[in-house]
Every structure is written in structure tokens, then in C-alpha cells.
Amino acid sequence: MNKPDNMNEHYRRLLEVWMRKQGVSFRAEVTQRFQFLVDEYGLDGPDYSEVLLPSATYSGAGLAISIFLQDDTRDGAGRRISVRVQLDTDEGPVQADLDELVEAAVFAPRHTVGSKAHTGEAVRATLDDNAQWIRRLWPILRGPEALDTLRTATRFETDKGGNPKRRAKGIKWKYK
């Protein structure tokens, strides 16, 4: 048996075996659920990569949406899916995770955004959920408030003790 060149390669191989056992193909599932980004919104892609972890990126006109399958079994978080949105600006790229954007847009608390990927069914459900949030965010991502929303999403205020501040009480979420 060949020894993997590094631990990332080892985890990538373990993830491939797990996906085969679950009967799920990350590429096929992402393509099926995010094809609307190409067909309806005119983005290019998906561009797939497996350099560090499986990912698919859709991009165009200064916007990139990347979907990642992470194998965090080493730290107990388990397998999960994350989505990152990047907006190119004159000062450089601004990025935010989907759950942060959903909360910054006052759509719903960040914990309502799906991320589980412990089974094939969970992968599909999470990708469906993530695609729905991207559809809801689309007018903001292509509107004049896009940059402010991404910056708000990544701004974390702390109290005097350095602890994260809680969000304000009584927020009226658009979706919940």
C-alpha cells in the first residue's frame, strides 16, 4: 500500500471512500443543485478542485460562489458543507460565508443554514438548503448593497472582555 504524501491526501482519500459508500458524488450533487447559477444567472462553472478538499466554484462579473465539502472528523465537527461568496472590489476581494451572509441580510439566524454532510441524504439536503439561500441572496449579491452586506457579515464586534457580542434581541427575520 502506498503511503500518502501528506495528511491532506490521506483525508482526501478517506473522504472519497466514504462518499462511494454513501452513494453520493459531490460533483454530481453540486452540479444538479447549483446549475441555476449558470442557466439563470449567467455565471461560469462549475470549476472543480480537489487540491486540499473537494470544491466547486461558479464565477462571473466579479462574483464567485464556492462550495466546499470538508472532512472535519479529526476535531469532532464531522463532515460538513460550507459555501463562501467572494466579491471583487477595487481594493481587493471581500469574502463571507453563506451563514454569515444570511444573518447579515436579516434573513435568518446563521445556525439555520444547512451544513451537515454525515450521510448522502444530509449532503443532498444541505446542498438544497444552500442553493435556496443563494437564490434568496441573489438580488443583494448583485445589487448596490452587496459590498456593505459582505462587510457586515464578516464584522464581529467584541465586548470589553474580548468576547463576541450577541446579536440584538427582537430581530424580525425575513425567513425563519
Side-chain angles (χ1 to χ4, degrees):
M1 182 171 159
N2 293 339
K3 183 177 178 183
D5 293 339
N6 60 43
M7 291 307 287
N8 285 333
E9 178 66 16
H10 174 72
Y11 287 112
R12 188 184 64 73
R13 287 182 185 174
L14 287 175
L15 189 58
E16 285 176 6
V17 170
W18 174 83
M19 289 178 70
R20 278 196 301 274
K21 286 181 180 179
Q22 293 295 319
V24 66
S25 163
F26 181 71
R27 283 182 180 220
E29 301 297 339
V30 167
T31 300
Q32 179 181 348
R33 283 154 179 86
F34 287 88
Q35 188 61 34
F36 71 92
L37 292 172
V38 175
D39 296 343
E40 297 173 31
Y41 301 150
L43 296 184
D44 295 326
D47 293 324
Y48 292 101
S49 174
E50 293 194 11
V51 174
L52 293 176
L53 51 108
S55 67
T57 300
Y58 295 84
S59 60
L63 179 71
I65 298 172
S66 300
I67 302 103
F68 302 95
L69 177 60
Q70 300 175 350
D71 186 10
D72 290 342
T73 53
R74 294 170 284 173
D75 66 4
R79 290 179 184 89
R80 62 187 180 90
I81 291 173
S82 62
V83 177
R84 179 156 282 245
V85 176
Q86 177 177 304
L87 185 65
D88 293 331
T89 70
D90 293 339
E91 295 85 36
V94 178
Q95 301 178 22
D97 288 333
L98 181 59
D99 59 340
E100 297 167 342
L101 282 170
V102 167
E103 189 165 302
V106 195
F107 282 178
R110 73 182 60 218
H111 70 270
T112 61
V113 176
S115 64
K116 294 180 181 178
H118 59 286
T119 66
E121 221 24 68
V123 168
R124 291 178 192 95
T126 293
L127 290 172
D128 284 339
D129 179 73
N130 292 171
Q132 181 180 33
W133 286 118
I134 291 292
R135 282 182 182 275
R136 289 173 175 169
L137 284 164
W138 190 256
I140 293 171
L141 295 175
R142 294 324 254 164
E145 68 272 27
L147 183 57
D148 286 341
T149 304
L150 266 79
R151 286 184 174 152
T152 298
T154 57
R155 185 178 321 133
F156 298 102
E157 296 179 9
T158 58
D159 63 16
K160 292 178 184 177
N163 301 309
K165 284 188 177 179
R166 296 185 182 267
R167 66 176 163 259
K169 293 182 180 184
I171 295 175
K172 302 292 183 206
W173 303 108
K174 184 171 183 178
Y175 303 97
K176 187 154 181 202

